[in-house]
Amino acid sequence: MHNPAVSAREAEVLALVGEHLTNAEIAARLVISVRTVESHVSALLRKLQLPDRRALARHAAEVARAERSRSAPALPAPLTSFVGRVRERAELAEAVRAHRLVTVAGPGGVGKTRLALRVAADIANDPPGEFADGVWFVDLVPITEPDRVGSAVAAAVGVGEQPGIGIDDAVLAALAGHRALLVLDNCEHVRDGAAPFLERLLAACPRLRVLVTSRARLMVPFERVFPVPPLSREGGDESEAVALFMDRAAAVGLPPGPAAGEEVAAVCEGLGGMALAIELAAARWSTLGLDGLTAGLSDQLRILTGGSRADDRHRSVRAVLDWSHDLLEPPDQALLHRVSVFVAPFTPEAAIEVAGFGPLDAAAVVDGLGRLAEQSLLAVAPSEAGTRYHALETIRQYGTERLTGAGELTGVRARHLRWCLASAEALGETGGADWRARFDAVAEDMRAALTWAADQPERRADACRLAWSMAELAFARTLLGEAQQRFEQAARLADADAAAVALRHAAAVAGCRSLDGEMYRLHRAAAEAARRAGDTAGAGRDLATAATVAYRFSSSFAATPPADEVKAMLVEARELSGDAPGAEAAVALAEAAVLADAFGAVQGDPDNPVQQTVEQAERAVELARRTGDPVTESAALDALSGAQSWAGDAFAAAAAARRRIGLLGAEPSTPAGTHELMDALAMAAGTAVGVGELPEARRWGRRLADHPLLAEAGHHATSWLLVADAFSGNVGDVRTTSVRFLAAWEKCGRLRSRSLGPAAASVAMVHGLRGDEDARAAWLAIVGRAGPEADHRLGYGAVFDTMVLLHRGEAGAALERVAPEPDQVWKWVCWVWLHWYAALRAEAAVLAGHPDARDRIAAARALVTGNPVASAQVDRAEALLDGDLPRQLAAAAAFGAAGCRYQAARTLVLAGGEHAAAGQAALADLGTAPAR
């Protein structure tokens, strides 16, 4: 816990001192001045009674460590105690501290996982320093697809998906500065995925160390292999092997007495010191005794003669597994074989569905699970949903081999596939607070069943069905990367008609991920699938949609599609579409996007005739409306909103954006509907800002900020809310929200996007109004990295900078900042910023005494009439020019009614006299510096 005398801000400074940041770096991170940081550091040294900054950093690390120990997920807690391995434990810990990547290698059953967990726990309890950010554990046993290693790591370390990048890149960005240990258990079956992922991870995260368990080395740079030997048998009945046997035997009954030590040592020697073999033998001690164990194992152990020592170790485990298996009754043998197809802990009900056929009925399955657990062949895993069972990976592989030998593997996997299909269907029909947990409990088994079925030609239809279900469930679970992957997998498994539909869904999911290049690719792939199916109209619709995507979302492409390529697609789309309504509407929208540049694309021509652009967009809306599809109509309305913005009609643009939300409803269930709604919310918030409807802008911005698909993307989620709050004068809300924005932006690797610059600039403006120049400079630097320079210099930056300059009383500088006529910077101001630009330009002219001030007021009034904030600002400018105090006070009231508290307060300051004091007090309440 922090010292009660330490304030929240001081606690933030303390944490960053612990990261060894300089005062300047802390100031930039917290967006405060360097002088303020110095003051906080001095206060901390005094309050905590520490002699210097070095001691303060040590104290901060101790505090951080204590907090992590309370909040970080615990390492898996083995149900049995750790025995022996004193030397290996110390050597492995030293290897982990000395090397970036250590692979604990050895055969199945030797004890790799237990040793790695014990060492990881030791390291987690080290003094803070090398592993100050803790230890994470990732179990790769359930992972059946090598390309899902990154997803498993993301889930373990709490990294969600980020718009614009894949989950692997999100993990790399999130862990880049962490001092931590990552434990990857059981890598051998996904080496093809683990090796390249770890190579990238270690290169991107220089302070991260990785501990791997695997039956074979990964063959990647930096790897240090640590072979795990069998348990030591030195010392006879005092050996580590005997100690393990005694411990496990005690767990199932009275342990053998001291007199039996030599016999136990002989058993352990015969088992080659293999930990799993010793544990399985000890589990039989209470029923067979040492005599029975010795007699029963003697035949099995004969196979240990000859061969290499490593082979002997494998054989000793197989020998004991064979022996343990042969001691089971036939029904329990069959049950052990059949439940080996589960890759994750399973319920008795699931076992009945998969394993409950002749000679096993439901009662035999339930009873048999208990007996297998008693013999240590299954582990019991209690959960909130009830008891679950699972087998160690070595035993599971053994069971699968036995299942194959019995000729039942295909049949049992087919039953497992049917259970997975039924589970997916049940999840698709239900919800509830526990839905996510129920999905997570069966997801890995569904993935494993899908991997198997996809390779079986006779199971292709079932595999396609499961892939489709998994895509929909993953989307509902906000696993967008997997949702796209599964839709694409379903397309590969489906016939051409269904493949086109699946690819359209995959394209929509890519849109939700802000991977617009992927969206473009997938719509083109859908067109090819539709063409193969003989659906020429569908192919034309998909090509037209791809063309629209290339222009509608052009600023988000890593590489913008060439204009000639897109126009050629549009020509082909026209030829294929004919007069099919859906295809005709898609072509009309593509024409508005590509030929008329309704969206103001990067590769577009801004000199297109405005009226033609509006007419083409209106035609697209009418054709889309006839389709009866709200998603199609919403996209066309987006084009109309853009066209009306080009025409200078901000009110019509805002109205079109609002219509989109009404069409789409509260919570669209499809990926396309969800993608369209997220875009509609952003456009509705932005256009509402543009016409001065600040409460409405905040409402849409808040809804976007709370959207579940943006939970991990706070920079995208909060962008328009920040702008609306900044214009409203909600200084405290901006400062709070900006923390989420900055953390998410840094976590995603500081991606550049056209939508992020205005948000960062709005935060810089707020700090300018507060008079905190250091914080303003820090946020202006973020603006430079978050969005295009011209957008800030010629567009929104002029608006935000002018507001700060006018607040400071620097009217001349403000007038210079908005010197260009609006039509000279039309491309940058016409959408959201035009009314603000014109009104500020008029006010700056009045306050600077410009001779054309009255003409600018008239021009601005003609443009902004109907905008409550901009109109009040123009009224205030004219009242100031005329010295009309009542009209100034009326403007203050108008600002207040419009939800613009900052301008209401500033108006009182400008009114002077007795009103100025009230205005300055109101500004102080908002958190700004006095206005001049």
Side-chain angles (χ1 to χ4, degrees), residues 788-841:
E789 183 273 337
D791 286 10
H792 180 258
R793 178 168 50 86
L794 300 172
Y796 58 82
V799 170
F800 291 128
D801 289 348
T802 300
M803 288 184 66
V804 173
L805 292 168
L806 289 175
H807 182 86
R808 295 172 178 166
E810 300 176 21
L815 185 63
E816 181 64 26
R817 189 68 179 90
V818 287
E821 295 281 350
D823 59 2
Q824 292 179 286
V825 288
W826 191 260
K827 177 179 179 180
W828 294 275
V829 300
C830 68
W831 176 46
V832 170
W833 318 109
L834 179 59
H835 287 187
W836 296 92
Y837 188 91
L840 284 164
R841 196 166 181 270

Side-chain angles (χ1 to χ4, degrees), residues 480-704:
L480 302 188
E482 181 171 11
Q484 180 182 331
Q485 173 195 355
R486 299 304 174 196
F487 276 126
E488 292 192 61
Q489 186 176 22
R492 292 192 295 271
L493 294 165
D495 59 32
D497 274 330
V501 177
L503 288 167
R504 290 168 197 145
H505 284 313
V509 178
C512 292
R513 302 174 69 200
S514 295
L515 295 174
D516 299 312
E518 287 285 280
M519 196 179 183
Y520 176 73
R521 173 185 67 82
L522 288 162
H523 275 300
R524 297 184 71 180
E528 288 303 310
R531 200 195 306 265
R532 290 196 303 272
D535 180 8
T536 55
R541 183 175 66 248
D542 286 315
L543 285 175
T545 302
T548 299
V549 167
Y551 275 64
R552 185 182 180 191
F553 304 110
S554 61
S555 66
S556 300
F557 276 74
T560 306
D564 291 345
E565 174 183 291
V566 178
K567 289 176 181 177
M569 286 169 47
L570 180 53
V571 170
E572 186 177 3
R574 284 199 200 100
E575 295 171 352
L576 292 170
S577 295
D579 57 359
E584 187 180 14
V587 169
L589 177 56
E591 289 173 342
V594 177
L595 303 181
D597 193 30
F599 296 107
V602 171
Q603 67 272 49
D605 180 4
D607 294 327
N608 284 331
V610 170
Q611 189 56 39
Q612 177 188 339
T613 303
V614 173
E615 290 173 357
Q616 287 195 273
E618 286 176 337
R619 176 174 178 269
V621 171
E622 175 58 26
L623 291 172
R625 185 187 60 77
R626 295 177 191 173
T627 68
D629 177 22
V631 173
T632 300
E633 188 174 353
S634 171
L637 282 168
D638 193 28
L640 180 59
S641 181
Q644 288 163 333
S645 175
W646 280 114
D649 192 345
F651 300 106
R658 286 195 301 271
R659 283 172 61 190
R660 296 175 64 194
I661 296 176
L663 276 171
L664 294 167
E667 291 297 332
S669 58
T670 65
T674 301
H675 174 237
E676 196 65 33
L677 177 61
M678 291 167 65
D679 183 75
L681 288 171
M683 296 304 101
T687 54
V689 167
V691 296
E693 297 289 347
L694 296 181
E696 188 174 75
R698 293 188 71 247
R699 179 158 61 94
W700 301 132
R702 170 52 59 193
R703 188 170 162 191
L704 184 66

